[in-house]
Amino acid sequence: TSGFVATQSEAGCRFRDDLWSTAYRIFIGFYNAKTRSLEDYYDKNHLTVENADGAADFIESYEARDDLILVVFTTYRYEYLEWEPRLPAALKRCGATSALHKLTADRTTSINGHYILVSQCGKGVAWASQHGLEASATDTNTALEMEVDIDSKFELYNGDAHARFNFTYAPELTPTLQSVSRLNGTTAGGTTLRLNVTGIRKGLATVENTTVTLGGVPCAIQLSDVATYRDQHLCDWDGVNCDNLGIAFHNETNTTMITCLTNAWDYSGDAREAEILVSLWPWGHARNPNQITWAYVDLWSSLTTWGGVLENKPLEGDSVVITQGQYIVLDESPPALHLLLVYGGVLEFSRDVGDLALNASYIFVFGGKLVVGTEQEPFPNKATITLTGDRDSYELPVYGAKCLAVRDAILDLHGLP
């Protein structure tokens, strides 16, 4: 298809395919770079003499405005005729050449090809071509794209001939990450994540032009982007749900919800505070005003934490050792354990799954951390730690029986008032 999109970015504007209707064979619009929107436009399926006269009237009605950018494009084919002279004259006053006439033409039928002009009225004949802002193509299968640094190419004023044109920042026009369904997932991948993003108009975000990365690792929005772990497709792992991946728009809240599946962490960068980056081409990255981050951790509930084998997952009466370098999030209440030894690693109660219970005869934190909420982020739910055993239970030297022991380690227990 051909046509164009006008988008704002730090580099300026990009004019390309698909935003405005491709059903029209000629389009003339005035783009307001300050509001990032069309001020007005004129479009027709066929450029007859009458329509050419109307196009000239349209250009002349805005020609005196020095705060607007003129954009003209044609799509695929349009009927050939000797134009009513007012239209080419108006275009030339706004920086055009006669390039539009030079597309290959059968004088009895139509002109084939595409044409795009990004200019400003008052610049004079051929100004756009001299600045690389006018282009044509005779290949009807090739769309035209033009990226323009507005501030360097144009001197845009806003009613004051001595005032430099300044861009304004409009939050409502900017994709913004508002929330995510959870803040951590397993290092092996396979965690379903839902992200709510505002500032994206309905239909603009698709699985083809939208990406989500967590610490640089893609979060799969479609099945074809789901990777493998230990030579097995993530969707084939028990407990992994690959349904409902994709993008949905909620009319009631004007919110775009992106559902993706995490892939395995590549062990580069910061696993605990990984950047969440939502990108929408060609608009750029979504804002993250709440500085939401992602943590790659090993979830107690995930089979991958226990070697991918169900039989390895702790059962009642088992002993568990969390060693140096391991960071396990308790996201379910496990069966009663005999010994839980946090030996240099970290065990943290998940804040995202509700109430949790941990039962064991002995809990020994040696050189590691056991975290149930922090002073900055208290645990929002109910956490119950129960020490089991009886009068005949074996006593650990120094610490005794039915104990929660801490040695050269951190026990962080913070709940809400």
Side-chain angles (χ1 to χ4, degrees):
T1 61
S2 65
F4 73 92
V5 168
T7 62
Q8 195 82 37
S9 67
E10 293 180 1
C13 294
R14 180 182 291 112
F15 299 92
R16 62 171 300 277
D17 294 13
D18 297 331
L19 181 57
W20 291 314
S21 174
T22 59
Y24 299 105
R25 294 184 177 177
I26 186 163
F27 178 99
I28 301 173
F30 282 96
Y31 177 71
N32 190 321
K34 185 173 184 179
T35 62
R36 299 199 301 178
S37 62
L38 275 174
E39 188 80 9
D40 201 357
Y41 64 94
Y42 180 92
D43 46 28
K44 294 295 179 182
N45 281 327
H46 303 285
L47 190 60
T48 63
V49 173
E50 180 182 355
N51 291 341
D53 193 38
D57 288 338
F58 172 74
I59 292 175
E60 290 169 2
S61 67
Y62 285 97
E63 195 169 345
R65 291 276 298 272
D66 56 10
D67 61 331
L68 299 177
I69 298 170
L70 173 67
V71 181
V72 179
F73 76 96
T74 65
T75 64
Y76 188 48
R77 301 176 66 182
Y78 58 94
E79 292 183 358
Y80 181 86
L81 71 159
E82 297 295 339
W83 282 11
E84 191 279 333
R86 287 180 55 217
L87 180 54
L91 288 172
K92 288 179 180 180
R93 290 195 304 272
C94 295
T97 64
S98 57
L100 185 57
H101 294 279
K102 294 179 180 178
L103 298 175
T104 58
D106 178 347
R107 299 178 70 90
T108 62
T109 56
S110 60
I111 291 177
N112 299 309
H114 305 316
Y115 171 81
I116 187 169
L117 169 73
V118 180
S119 189
Q120 189 178 19
C121 291
K123 292 295 188 182
V125 179
W127 178 89
S129 178
Q130 294 167 6
H131 291 80
L133 299 176
E134 185 180 35
S136 61
T138 58
D139 180 3
T140 55
N141 294 317
T142 301
L144 295 177
E145 176 174 311
M146 188 174 294
E147 186 163 347
V148 183
D149 185 338
I150 297 296
D151 203 31
S152 66
K153 292 290 187 181
F154 297 95
E155 291 183 356
L156 293 172
Y157 306 99
N158 201 18
D160 184 348
H162 302 288
R164 183 66 174 165
F165 178 86
N166 293 316
F167 289 108
T168 58
Y169 174 63
E172 68 276 7
L173 299 176
T174 303
T176 301
L177 177 63
Q178 298 290 354
S179 64
V180 297
S181 58
R182 60 184 302 157
L183 300 178
N184 55 56
T186 173
T187 57
T191 302
T192 300
L193 186 63
R194 287 176 291 276
L195 306 93
N196 291 308
V197 183
T198 58
I200 303 176
R201 284 183 294 165
K202 184 177 182 179
L204 290 188
T206 68
V207 294
E208 286 78 23
N209 71 354
T210 305
T211 60
V212 176
T213 58
L214 310 173
V217 178
C219 189
I221 301 176
Q222 49 187 337
L223 285 175
S224 59
D225 296 329
V226 177
T228 61
Y229 179 71
R230 293 188 177 179
D231 299 324
Q232 183 176 344
H233 197 273
L234 281 171
C235 295
D236 296 332
W237 282 87
D238 290 339
V240 174
N241 183 5
C242 289
D243 297 333
N244 303 317
L245 300 182
I247 298 174
F249 185 83
H250 295 274
N251 293 308
E252 299 80 5
T253 59
N254 288 324
T255 300
T256 299
M257 187 174 78
I258 304 171
T259 303
C260 63
L261 189 78
T262 63
N263 285 310
W265 183 43
D266 60 5
Y267 289 90
S268 65
D270 188 349
R272 306 295 175 255
E273 294 186 359
E275 180 184 26
I276 300 177
L277 195 61
V278 180
S279 299
L280 180 66
W281 193 91
W283 285 265
H285 304 319
R287 295 172 60 241
N288 185 358
N290 299 318
Q291 298 182 336
I292 305 171
T293 59
W294 174 260
Y296 285 103
V297 297
D298 289 315
L299 303 178
W300 191 287
S301 63
S302 176
L303 290 182
T304 57
T305 302
W306 314 104
V309 180
L310 180 61
E311 289 73 16
N312 289 346
K313 195 172 180 181
L315 302 175
E316 184 175 355
D318 282 352
S319 294
V320 175
V321 181
I322 300 174
T323 58
Q324 178 73 35
Q326 286 186 297
Y327 195 119
I328 295 181
V329 171
L330 190 71
D331 62 337
E332 65 179 9
S333 298
L337 303 174
H338 176 64
L339 168 66
L340 172 61
L341 174 58
V342 183
Y343 190 65
V346 179
L347 177 66
E348 180 177 3
F349 279 45
S350 173
R351 301 166 52 86
D352 305 322
V353 296
D355 298 343
L356 290 168
L358 174 62
N359 299 333
S361 297
Y362 308 91
I363 300 176
F364 191 9
V365 187
F366 183 31
K369 293 173 66 175
L370 174 59
V371 182
V372 186
T374 63
E375 184 175 0
Q376 294 75 24
E377 294 184 288
F379 190 72
N381 308 304
K382 181 180 180 181
T384 304
I385 298 177
T386 303
L387 298 172
T388 61
D390 52 42
R391 294 171 61 89
D392 298 326
S393 295
Y394 178 80
E395 292 190 4
L396 298 177
V398 179
Y399 304 106
K402 296 178 60 175
C403 61
L404 196 168
V406 179
R407 184 181 181 88
D408 296 328
I410 296 175
L411 176 64
D412 215 343
L413 305 175
H414 288 87
L416 293 173

